[in-house]
Amino acid sequence: MAIAVVDYGMGNLHSVSKAVERLGYEPLITGVREEILSADGIILPGVGAFGDAMEHLRESGLDQVMREAAARTAPLLGICLGMQLLFSQSEEHGVHEGLNILPGKVVRFTGGDYKVPHMGWNSLSFLQPDVPLFAGLEEGHVYFVHSYHVLPEVKSDLLAVTDYGQPVTAIVGRGHVYGMQFHPEKSGELGMSLLRGFLALTDGAS
């Protein structure tokens, strides 16, 4: 099964691709529309600032490709910044429009007795444990690095949270579109199990 890891100049492509390969799938690092849309599954990674990432996606035409991908049936996963890009808008260094695949906005951590960025291991709480992604899994710890977090508009899109002075969006999903705020490829057994769960969805994609 070919898994497209979208290359737009701002993703942690190597570690994500290696994790996909370790799980028995074929990663394809690509920024080519046809290769992305014909893949069995698509991963949108991301490291850096929201506005810069959207500029890279627009300049390459990959913003429209990602919207096309979301409208098809192949499972799509956004990781870290890649998850945030799925949403409507971010206030990181100004207001920036996102891919608007899922409704919601990205805001900075404010107030509270905690450090920003949110960095390190933190526990997950599954809000919808019956979703296929969580099949056979128990809640545990995963690895986060972020200064901004997502506020989904639709309650049912929120699949899991972590606690960092407040409930913080950790996993989102609607249909075949998913997002993980943490880095599953750096999150030990649970992270790899969640990534395996996503990749397993590609087996039945048409």
Side-chain angles (χ1 to χ4, degrees), residues 12-20 22 183 185-186 195:
N12 195 357
L13 303 173
H14 179 74
S15 63
V16 172
S17 297
K18 286 296 184 184
V20 169
R22 285 199 304 273
H183 291 272
E185 77 281 8
K186 299 179 180 178
L195 184 57

Side-chain angles (χ1 to χ4, degrees), residues 109 125 127 149-152 158 160-170:
F109 285 106
S125 296
L127 301 183
H149 63 104
V150 173
L151 300 177
L158 185 57
V161 297
T162 190
D163 180 55
Y164 196 63
Q166 60 191 294
V168 174
T169 299

